[in-house]
Amino acid sequence: MKFIIGYYILQIVIVILCILLGYFIYDKRFKRNHGAKVPDGFQSTDEINIDPVTGEKTRVYYNPDTGERFYKKEK
């Protein structure tokens, strides 16, 4: 009986751990507020994301030295 209870508790712990990891590690770069001014060293790309709900456009800028991406909302 203890084995079955331990088995279910282990499953619950694993599910909670997966939820916490997903929350804290999930890629939040796209949703981060980057501001309106593009920093020096970033180049414009052809990549534009359009939010289907609001219709807002977000252009992607890329820094070839660091590999970092910058997202700027356009009107």
Side-chain angles (χ1 to χ4, degrees):
M1 186 69 176
K2 288 182 180 180
F3 173 74
I4 293 173
I5 293 173
Y7 178 74
Y8 284 117
I9 289 175
L10 179 64
Q11 285 185 346
I12 291 170
V13 168
I14 289 172
V15 168
I16 291 172
L17 184 63
C18 288
I19 290 171
L20 290 174
L21 287 175
Y23 179 77
F24 288 111
I25 297 177
Y26 179 71
D27 188 8
K28 297 178 181 177
R29 291 177 294 174
F30 179 71
K31 301 205 183 251
R32 188 169 42 179
N33 184 10
H34 282 188
K37 184 180 177 191
V38 178
D40 294 333
F42 281 82
Q43 300 173 356
S44 177
T45 66
D46 293 334
E47 185 178 344
I48 297 175
N49 301 312
I50 300 173
D51 187 335
V53 176
T54 63
E56 255 183 354
K57 294 180 180 179
T58 303
R59 179 172 296 276
V60 179
Y61 293 82
Y62 175 73
N63 187 333
D65 296 332
T66 63
E68 189 176 358
R69 295 166 65 94
F70 180 86
Y71 301 93
K72 179 183 175 188
K73 294 198 183 284
E74 295 184 341
K75 297 184 180 185

